[in-house]
Amino acid sequence: MNLKLHKPLCIFDLETTGTNIGKDRIVEICVLKVNPDASRESKTWRVNPEMPIPLESSHIHGIYDEDVKESPTFKEVAPKIMEMISGSDLGGFNSNRFDVPLLAEELLRAGIDFDLSKFKLVDAQTIFHKKEPRNLSAAYQFYCGKTLENAHSAEADVMATFEVLDAQIGRYDDIPKDIPSLSEFTTQNKNADLAGFIGFNEKMEEVFNFGKYKGQCVKAVFQKDLGYFGWLQNAEFPLYTKKIFTKIQLSSRF
């Protein structure tokens, strides 16, 4: 194994009802846990999303309403998922922009306080796009010399993602092998939240990335316009974004 792990790395992939982080739901999740000694374990859960799966999504991943009607809800499997990923770092393919934010939403919705600061995030897609801009199937062919069968099944994608990530570390001498450095390398835009609504200025203060206060310090805005905080909490922002807004608002009182 080319990766140098000092704690477990959980590579995971989601199949979902759609791509809206705030509204869509998980229908399948697979987690591959790779330990520092290179031993591995993987688990896959089918999930009843408690909403109809749009046909256009089913046509991509092959999971239909009938397939998950008897499956547990995400709230029922959430403790098992957290048990598996706790104490680990997280990785995936396009995971920083989609899988991690959507997983955080589902966990918060299930009443589990997901804390991003406890995890280092590594996105194999970012390495791939920086080195060989393609998709997962092309990455699997390029780095591993294999054809990706059953693409868009969570298990096939997550297994291929780990092989791609490990092969990338072996191929490029200028890419770090440890997770903290890889996390830094694969993070394209540093934001305070997962969906990118809250960024940082040169002083590392949280600033708005949108709206009438775009570019302004969130804490300062809340101190002068508390009503805007109320509007944000009632608007359709992801739960994790609202959590960060709340944390900043509480600190703005002092």
Side-chain angles (χ1 to χ4, degrees):
M1 188 168 70
N2 295 299
L3 284 164
K4 292 183 178 179
L5 303 181
H6 299 287
K7 61 192 296 190
L9 174 65
C10 284
I11 301 286
F12 76 101
D13 184 69
L14 307 178
E15 303 304 336
T16 66
T17 59
T19 58
N20 186 308
I21 291 170
K23 294 182 178 180
D24 280 304
R25 301 290 188 266
I26 294 171
V27 297
E28 185 176 74
I29 175 171
C30 180
V31 181
L32 172 66
K33 187 172 188 176
V34 184
N35 296 303
D37 65 359
S39 62
R40 310 176 190 181
E41 61 174 308
S42 67
K43 292 184 181 179
T44 302
W45 292 271
R46 280 280 175 92
V47 179
N48 184 335
E50 301 181 276
M51 65 177 287
I53 304 173
L55 278 179
E56 56 267 30
S57 297
S58 293
H59 289 159
I60 292 173
H61 50 56
I63 303 171
Y64 294 81
D65 292 333
E66 184 72 18
D67 300 320
V68 293
K69 67 177 183 180
E70 302 298 332
S71 298
T73 64
F74 186 84
K75 188 171 184 178
E76 291 175 304
V77 302
K80 298 177 182 178
I81 294 171
M82 278 304 301
E83 181 182 1
M84 190 168 186
I85 69 174
S86 291
S88 303
D89 293 315
L90 298 178
F93 198 88
N94 193 35
S95 51
N96 285 359
R97 291 192 298 175
F98 181 71
D99 299 84
V100 172
L102 200 149
L103 178 63
E105 287 299 295
E106 288 277 42
L107 289 170
L108 290 169
R109 199 177 291 118
I112 294 176
D113 188 18
F114 178 80
D115 187 352
L116 180 63
S117 67
K118 295 181 179 179
F119 302 89
K120 293 293 185 183
L121 307 179
V122 176
D123 193 333
Q125 187 192 62
T126 302
I127 298 174
F128 189 40
H129 283 182
K130 285 184 175 182
K131 295 293 185 178
E132 311 288 346
R134 300 288 181 93
N135 58 24
L136 178 57
S137 295
Y140 197 52
Q141 179 64 49
F142 182 85
Y143 289 106
C144 305
K146 303 176 185 177
T147 300
L148 178 56
E149 305 292 345
N150 299 319
H152 295 296
S153 92
E155 184 173 3
D157 286 358
V158 78
M159 297 299 181
T161 297
F162 174 73
E163 288 191 50
V164 167
L165 175 59
D166 195 54
Q168 287 172 328
I169 305 308
R171 177 180 287 262
Y172 302 115
D173 293 335
D174 59 339
I175 291 182
K177 292 179 169 54
D178 63 282
I179 295 302
S181 300
L182 271 178
S183 178
E184 183 72 21
F185 184 82
T186 60
T187 300
Q188 294 178 303
N189 297 305
K190 291 186 178 180
N191 296 302
D193 68 326
L194 293 165
F197 289 105
I198 312 168
F200 292 103
N201 61 19
E202 64 279 358
K203 298 179 181 179
M204 291 306 293
E205 299 170 327
E206 294 94 346
V207 296
F208 288 103
N209 281 341
F210 69 95
K212 63 179 182 179
Y213 292 118
K214 185 175 181 179
Q216 295 189 37
C217 178
V218 178
K219 185 174 182 178
V221 169
F222 287 167
Q223 288 174 336
K224 69 180 181 181
D225 187 358
L226 188 57
Y228 193 59
F229 169 75
W231 176 81
L232 292 169
Q233 292 302 304
N234 290 316
E236 290 188 352
F237 289 97
L239 293 176
Y240 197 85
T241 300
K242 292 182 178 181
K243 175 183 175 179
I244 301 301
F245 280 139
T246 299
K247 181 179 179 181
I248 298 171
Q249 191 274 329
L250 290 173
S251 70
S252 70
R253 298 178 181 180
F254 305 100

